[in-house]
Amino acid sequence: MCGIVGYIGSNRAYDILIQGLKRLEYRGYDSAGVALVDCDGKLKIHKSQGKVSNLESIASGANVEGHLGIAHTRWATHGEPNDINAHPHMSQSGMIALVHNGTIENYAVLKKVLMEHGYEFKSETDTEVLVQLIEYIKLTSSCTLLEAVREALLQVDGAYAIAVVEQNEPDTLIVARKSSPLVIGVGEDETFIASDATPIVGYTDQVIYLKDNEIGVIRRGEPVQVLSLFNNEPSTINIQKLKLSLAQLEKGGYDTFMLKEIFEQPSTLRDCLRGRIVDNCRRVTLSGVDLNQERFKSAERITLVACGTSWHAALIGKRLIQDFCKMPVEVEYASEFRYGNPVLNEKDIVISISQSGETADTLAAIELAKAKGAFVYGICNVVGASIPRTTDSGTYIHVGPEIGVASTKAFTGQVTVLTLLALSVGQLRGAIDDATLHEVLAALDKIPETIEEALKVDPEVKKLSRIFSYAHNFLYLGRGYNYPTALEGALKLKEISYIHAEGYPAAEMKHGPIALIDHDMPSVIIAPSDSLYDKIISNVQQVKSRGGAVVAIVSKGNKAMNDIADFCIEIPEVPECLTPLVASIPLQLLAYYIAVNKGKDVDQPRNLAKSVTVE
């Protein structure tokens, strides 16, 4: 959530900043703003509640010339969404401007001290406290902007990625990070900064990923400097080649990014699987496992930590690891794990799962697990993100940038990697027989083509969605591997259509939720032809006997369900452990088309952020 963009160079900064903000809209936000040092050397701020287009309207007609600037999209934490609380925030003198992602935990104490020294505050934000503190230090210590920023950051507790400019230093841009991402793009005679790489694509492919407790000093016409916050010593600069393209950030003819990403899943899963299934579908090669075989052989327990959609993938991962590795597995919300005083030791493996690699709660869980001696394995999509850099080892899902806030291709990518991981470790530990391994790997190797087949239900689901757009509540039911799939289907509907939906294990439906069922509450029941099919038939009958409408997700060729359910959506038949990959496709489409029918913004649903970088 929240987005930062900055520019210093010879081109008009405003145009680059606005374009960057638009590329960051997928992260979720409620206000936007820009600070520019104009050609007359004056620091000007324009900001507005609402979309970036609102900001453009406000700035139209104003002097937006200049070659240095910072910009921000805010997702409210301290103070309601409004013009005053929007970033950038300016110091009391009007000479310093700052944008900030993260949370300053001791801002109230700092604010009180500053008020005692005569500082007044216009906003309710923790960010304004930081910019005022920087100015106070600069004035009282007669130091440079860099020195003031460094001293201020040594006094704050919490998480931050910041960018700072000053009217008196029109050739300098200062950035810093701690537990919140920041990337520097190095061009020819120009430099870009952003909270992720998407605003930089198309300008340069040379990037520096700032590390925790580092300060970046960007001066016009000089190489970028990176300094340690603690001792002010230069850090080693590692310039990496960016592997993103403009085509990946565009809709490619689809109406929305979400629909594009749903239909990208055959190709993204090909990328995810490429080079990982070998020896004619008889072995998995994952470098993160291959390089740490003794850790996985000797492990006594695995704990999966994640949030949101990634947590649903983790629940599927639990069953996969238990089935194929024959070892105890736990799944924890990262936010609960870190406060639950977990009992861990060097025989434990903690697997952290995050699309963005920047989820604050998951990062904190990783730090805790490492402190207790556990081996930490990361599953992530974004190359160079904080989680891959923090974990001991791991695997990228390689599904490309996911712009839609509601995760689709990242979910199937995570489940695919968890399947590969379970099979790899199961083979390593001698817990899976060769015939089972070959059967599952052969089916997994063909899963991109299977997903292509599953996507052919699109016209059918689109038509069906019109019937259910009226609903105020939905129940999603599944058993075994598809209980988490039901949770994920319900989450997708909640996220983008704002319809209340709950996922349940089908057998638990009669332990409470059955009281809610009537003709106004439809149920989506995942009923593939697996080992639990006969059990779930009775759940369908229980819903129908109480007047509830049933949409059943069934294996292709199952015509018997037509006599019971109101609507049947057929999916290709696959081994039971792979059904979540296939069953999730019609669930994604159903949520998408219901939301579209209701006129909702499916790519940027209200109150949600793509990357949750605060607790």
Side-chain angles (χ1 to χ4, degrees), residues 300-482:
E300 296 178 353
R301 178 180 56 170
I302 287 178
T303 301
L304 298 141
V305 295
C307 301
T309 284
S310 298
W311 186 75
H312 298 156
L315 291 174
I316 297 167
K318 174 182 178 177
R319 293 191 68 94
L320 289 162
I321 296 168
Q322 285 180 165
D323 283 354
F324 297 140
C325 304
K326 305 297 188 288
M327 61 189 300
V329 186
E330 298 175 4
V331 178
E332 294 266 8
Y333 284 112
S335 55
E336 292 296 315
F337 176 81
R338 60 186 293 201
Y339 295 114
N341 195 24
V343 179
L344 297 170
N345 58 45
E346 66 278 359
K347 293 293 186 180
D348 282 293
I349 293 176
V350 172
I351 299 177
S352 64
I353 310 172
S354 168
Q355 187 282 137
S356 68
E358 303 294 348
T359 309
D361 285 317
T362 307
L363 280 164
I366 290 168
E367 296 293 349
L368 175 61
K370 291 179 72 173
K372 289 178 175 286
F375 177 77
V376 183
Y377 195 95
I379 295 176
C380 182
N381 187 35
V382 180
V383 176
S386 297
I387 284 177
R389 295 203 303 268
T390 306
T391 49
D392 297 305
S393 187
T395 301
Y396 286 112
I397 65 173
H398 291 310
V399 299
E402 189 177 62
I403 307 301
V405 169
S407 183
T408 52
K409 63 179 181 176
F411 172 72
T412 51
Q414 289 168 348
V415 173
T416 299
V417 163
L418 285 164
T419 307
L420 292 169
L421 177 71
L423 294 169
S424 176
V425 175
Q427 187 175 39
L428 186 65
R429 293 169 67 98
I432 182 172
D433 63 84
D434 291 341
T436 301
L437 178 67
H438 179 62
E439 177 194 2
V440 176
L441 280 179
L444 187 60
D445 194 45
K446 295 178 180 176
I447 206 70
E449 291 77 16
T450 308
I451 298 295
E452 285 179 345
E453 184 68 23
L455 283 165
K456 291 179 181 178
V457 302
D458 176 70
E460 178 186 351
V461 175
K462 186 175 183 179
K463 181 178 178 181
L464 179 65
S465 69
R466 299 190 190 103
I467 299 171
F468 292 105
S469 298
Y470 72 88
H472 297 289
N473 299 280
F474 257 89
L475 190 62
Y476 284 68
L477 302 174
R479 301 190 73 144
Y481 276 102
N482 284 306

Side-chain angles (χ1 to χ4, degrees), residues 14-306:
Y14 176 79
D15 298 334
I16 294 167
L17 299 176
I18 291 296
Q19 177 63 37
L21 292 183
K22 288 179 177 178
R23 290 189 186 170
L24 289 173
E25 287 187 298
Y26 77 96
R27 294 169 69 96
Y29 70 107
D30 47 52
S31 58
V34 59
L36 297 161
V37 178
D38 66 24
C39 293
D40 298 325
K42 300 296 183 182
L43 179 60
K44 301 285 180 61
I45 286 182
H46 309 281
K47 55 185 182 176
S48 171
Q49 180 184 353
K51 299 292 187 182
V52 174
S53 57
N54 293 1
L55 172 62
E56 289 183 282
S57 297
I58 285 175
S60 64
N63 178 9
V64 291
E65 299 303 318
H67 309 295
L68 168 64
I70 53 177
H72 192 266
T73 50
R74 175 181 185 253
W75 191 80
T77 53
H78 296 77
E80 65 182 57
N82 59 31
D83 293 358
I84 294 173
N85 289 328
H87 296 213
H89 285 283
M90 190 176 277
S91 63
Q92 190 156 288
S93 69
M95 302 295 284
I96 301 173
L98 178 146
V99 293
H100 164 228
N101 288 354
T103 304
I104 305 301
E105 295 176 359
N106 61 336
Y107 84 100
V109 174
L110 296 170
K111 185 174 184 177
K112 183 179 179 181
V113 172
L114 288 166
M115 290 175 71
E116 290 172 355
H117 285 85
Y119 278 80
E120 297 179 356
F121 292 84
K122 297 177 181 178
S123 76
E124 303 167 79
T125 67
D126 54 338
T127 302
E128 188 183 5
V129 174
L130 181 55
V131 73
Q132 302 285 36
L133 178 62
I134 291 170
E135 178 167 274
Y136 172 75
I137 292 169
K138 189 172 187 298
L139 294 176
T140 56
S141 302
S142 299
C143 62
T144 65
L145 177 64
L146 172 61
E147 292 166 335
V149 169
R150 178 172 176 266
E151 178 57 35
L153 294 179
L154 290 171
Q155 294 184 31
V156 303
D157 298 325
Y160 56 78
I162 63 167
V164 190
V165 294
E166 183 184 10
Q167 181 170 300
N168 289 339
E169 296 195 32
D171 295 322
T172 301
L173 172 59
I174 306 292
V175 296
R177 72 155 279 175
K178 179 184 178 184
S179 302
S180 191
L182 201 70
V183 60
I184 301 171
V186 181
E188 289 191 17
D189 300 322
E190 59 184 357
T191 306
F192 311 81
I193 62 107
S195 45
D196 69 41
T198 53
I200 293 170
V201 175
Y203 296 108
T204 179
D205 61 358
Q206 303 296 303
V207 295
I208 301 166
Y209 291 100
L210 213 61
K211 299 175 185 175
D212 275 357
N213 301 306
E214 287 186 335
I215 299 177
V217 185
I218 304 162
R219 294 191 175 96
R220 194 185 309 276
E222 297 181 14
V224 174
Q225 285 183 287
V226 179
L227 306 172
S228 166
L229 172 66
F230 299 122
N231 59 24
N232 212 31
E233 292 294 318
S235 299
T236 301
I237 295 178
N238 179 22
I239 298 180
Q240 300 182 39
K241 187 176 179 64
L242 190 60
K243 296 179 180 179
L244 276 178
S245 68
L246 281 174
Q248 290 177 301
L249 303 178
E250 295 172 348
K251 293 178 183 175
Y254 288 92
D255 291 337
T256 64
F257 281 110
M258 184 176 177
L259 189 62
K260 176 196 175 199
E261 287 156 8
I262 290 172
F263 276 87
E264 277 181 338
Q265 287 172 106
S267 63
T268 59
L269 292 186
R270 284 190 186 95
D271 291 339
C272 181
L273 289 166
R274 185 171 288 116
R276 291 171 169 172
I277 298 176
V278 297
D279 296 346
N280 195 26
C281 298
R282 286 179 167 79
R283 186 169 64 87
V284 175
T285 175
L286 292 176
S287 60
V289 175
D290 296 343
L291 295 172
N292 297 281
Q293 291 188 14
E294 291 307 314
R295 281 283 199 173
F296 282 97
K297 282 182 181 178
S298 62
E300 296 178 353
R301 178 180 56 170
I302 287 178
T303 301
L304 298 141
V305 295

